[in-house]
Amino acid sequence: METSLRYGSNDRQLSVALREKIVANDVQFKFNGLLNTVTGQWQHRLALHRFFLPNEGSRALARKCSKRFQHRASFLTILESDPGPKADIFRVGLHGRGRCELDSTGDVWLKAEINSMYEPRSQQFKHLGVAQVNRVFKSITSNQDLKVSAEVRLELDHRGNAKTEGAVTIRENNWGINLGRNNWFITYDL
């Protein structure tokens, strides 16, 4: 399990972040948790992906497009806690992701994701699209790499209202900083 410390502008309190991913055949289970060390408040997100593009078909499509193109699609089930008055939130939907290397070294790539989720409790759909450009600068010092990512997120609710957000993330081996429009947070991997 991956563990990190997190401090951000929203709550200005130290939190412990936990993350685990288990993959078996065409099924992937993801767990993300965040424990506030001051208030003891716990937030979590459980996601179960069932990939419906067979591995051989994916490889054949990747060979046709380019050796530097990867994609996947899945049926997604999410259970997450809400720090507000609601209890856990359950969503089901479809998830697609693609990645395309923009140079021959693999140090620059574009990643795009799209989700279409349905929440049975509220009977509402939610759609999300993310585009992210990443660049890795290898060996900034003798044993350090630096990764810079810039992303744009577009979220549509059930009424068709759009919300956009942008963020920049800078990571070196253990440290990271994420700068958004109205917030920031720092992480340190343990």
Side-chain angles (χ1 to χ4, degrees):
M1 181 170 288
E2 297 176 33
T3 310
S4 63
L5 299 176
R6 179 176 166 154
Y7 182 83
S9 63
N10 286 347
D11 53 9
R12 298 201 185 261
Q13 296 173 345
L14 185 66
S15 296
V16 177
L18 308 168
R19 183 172 54 195
E20 183 65 56
K21 179 170 46 171
I22 300 169
V23 179
N25 296 329
D26 290 340
V27 177
Q28 180 184 73
F29 173 78
K30 284 184 180 179
F31 165 79
N32 292 312
L34 191 64
L35 175 65
N36 186 308
T37 59
V38 176
T39 64
Q41 183 180 27
W42 173 253
Q43 294 176 304
H44 65 273
R45 175 184 168 115
L46 305 170
L48 181 67
H49 288 267
R50 171 67 170 103
F51 301 110
F52 57 82
L53 286 179
N55 289 338
E56 190 55 40
S58 296
R59 282 190 227 119
L61 180 61
R63 281 193 297 272
K64 283 183 185 177
C65 296
S66 163
K67 292 186 185 227
R68 297 181 299 180
F69 177 77
Q70 301 171 8
H71 75 283
R72 76 176 193 195
S74 64
F75 174 74
L76 177 63
T77 306
I78 295 177
L79 176 66
E80 63 185 337
S81 63
D82 184 3
K86 292 191 228 174
D88 290 345
I89 299 170
F90 175 73
R91 295 186 185 110
V92 294
L94 298 175
H95 173 81
R97 184 169 85 178
R99 173 183 159 143
C100 182
E101 293 179 2
L102 301 177
D103 71 345
S104 59
T105 64
D107 293 343
V108 182
W109 67 94
L110 173 68
K111 186 170 87 172
E113 290 188 43
I114 187 165
N115 284 329
S116 185
M117 304 298 296
Y118 175 71
E119 186 179 329
R121 180 187 298 163
S122 65
Q123 298 182 351
Q124 296 176 352
F125 281 92
K126 186 178 189 181
H127 310 286
L128 174 69
V130 179
Q132 184 182 72
V133 178
N134 300 277
R135 170 74 199 252
V136 173
F137 299 94
K138 293 187 177 170
S139 301
I140 294 292
T141 64
S142 61
N143 60 354
Q144 267 185 326
D145 293 344
L146 184 70
K147 178 183 173 187
V148 179
S149 303
E151 78 174 25
V152 175
R153 302 171 68 89
L154 173 64
E155 190 174 310
L156 294 172
D157 65 14
H158 66 284
R159 293 186 182 115
N161 298 326
K163 180 172 108 175
T164 58
E165 291 181 11
V168 173
T169 303
I170 302 168
R171 287 200 55 81
E172 67 86 33
N173 295 351
N174 289 352
W175 288 95
I177 184 165
N178 183 297
L179 306 167
R181 183 184 314 167
N182 298 319
N183 63 359
W184 56 266
F185 61 87
I186 298 171
T187 60
Y188 180 77
D189 297 335
L190 299 176

